[in-house]
Amino acid sequence: EVQLVESGGGVVQPGGSLRLSCAASGFTFDDYAMHWVRQAPGKGLEWVSLISGDGGSTYYADSVKGRFTISRDNSKNSLYLQMNSLRTEDTALYYCATDGGVIVPTYYFDYWGQGTLVTVSS
Amino acid sequence: SYVLTQPPSVSVAPGQTARITCGGNNIGSKSVHWYQQKPGQAPVLVVYDDSDRPSGIPERFSGSNSGNTATLTISRVEAGDEADYYCQVWDSSSDHPGVFGGGTKLTVL
């Protein structure tokens, strides 16, 4: 059974930093690209970032480019999101999700975790 | 960046057919994926690549995509189908490739 468990969320002041983690199990982690998707309270879904299975390729939404860094440790079956220079508009529930494709990304989100809440507030 | 437009809400009686649209410029040339999200829960993929269903998703859920509109069709709607539905594409030519529609609230009357 595929399981994705996010952690690391919390309350942080504007300009601060947080590092989110996603622990994966139940599948061959390094065969799959991974995504972060977020959802502001009461709002819709917003794709944030993608990393390839080997970690060699990364992509970011315009809204987080230059501030967020996605990474992964395949030896630990873990995905990360380093978030710097946080803004109030980054307040959201952050989900990690598997890409739908084995080895070759298909760019849809197959399995999702339950999310970790990030609140940016002074 | 690429824009996907969904109606904010759709209402349907139980047993009837719900159609949720997703508009985008020449969206028929892209692969469209659909997600269902119930309150307090993570999204669930219900249709991928325009019209394919993941295992465990009922045949009542189907999709189509042509021209400037993609459609998620839910046949024989049940009370348990009440949820928010989001379409999504990947625009590889864009600096912001991952795109969601704004979401549609399906209400079962």
Side-chain angles (χ1 to χ4, degrees):
Chain A
E1 178 193 5
V2 172
Q3 284 202 324
L4 299 169
V5 180
E6 302 94 337
S7 61
V11 180
V12 61
Q13 291 189 337
S17 298
L18 274 180
R19 187 193 195 209
L20 306 185
S21 300
C22 172
S25 61
F27 64 103
T28 305
F29 185 65
D30 54 4
D31 277 352
Y32 291 84
M34 296 292 295
H35 301 264
W36 287 100
V37 177
R38 69 183 181 183
Q39 186 170 34
K43 301 298 184 181
L45 301 171
E46 180 186 15
W47 173 80
V48 174
S49 186
L50 158 69
I51 187 167
S52 59
D54 65 1
S57 298
T58 58
Y59 302 86
Y60 298 93
D62 289 341
S63 55
V64 307
K65 206 170 293 183
R67 301 187 298 123
F68 290 11
T69 302
I70 191 171
S71 62
R72 63 192 296 160
D73 185 337
N74 288 344
S75 69
K76 296 182 178 179
N77 286 357
S78 292
L79 174 72
Y80 306 101
L81 187 67
Q82 178 66 44
M83 304 186 298
N84 298 330
S85 303
L86 282 161
R87 306 167 179 168
T88 55
E89 56 264 35
D90 294 319
T91 294
L93 187 62
Y94 284 74
Y95 296 100
C96 67
T98 66
D99 188 88
V102 182
I103 307 297
V104 178
T106 53
Y107 306 114
Y108 59 83
F109 316 115
D110 204 355
Y111 294 95
W112 299 63
Q114 286 304 306
T116 186
L117 182 62
V118 172
T119 302
V120 184
S121 173
S122 54
Chain B
S1 60
Y2 194 75
V3 176
L4 295 174
T5 301
Q6 296 183 238
S9 63
V10 168
S11 299
V12 63
Q16 300 303 302
T17 297
R19 294 178 179 86
I20 299 172
T21 59
C22 176
N25 184 33
N26 197 25
I27 196 173
S29 67
K30 302 182 183 301
S31 291
V32 179
H33 320 294
W34 292 91
Y35 304 86
Q36 175 194 70
Q37 187 180 33
K38 297 181 179 180
Q41 297 185 19
V44 172
L45 179 70
V46 293
V47 167
Y48 65 96
D49 290 348
D50 297 340
S51 59
D52 290 333
R53 275 187 315 277
S55 60
I57 300 300
E59 291 184 6
R60 301 185 297 104
F61 289 81
S62 62
S64 63
N65 184 19
S66 179
N68 293 318
T69 304
T71 303
L72 174 69
T73 301
I74 309 172
S75 304
R76 302 180 299 282
V77 167
E78 304 173 356
D81 298 331
E82 188 162 288
D84 293 325
Y85 291 84
Y86 296 89
C87 58
Q88 177 251 321
V89 301
W90 189 264
D91 183 18
S92 56
S93 65
S94 170
D95 286 341
H96 185 124
V99 182
F100 283 99
T104 298
K105 169 68 176 177
L106 176 67
T107 299
V108 181
L109 300 171

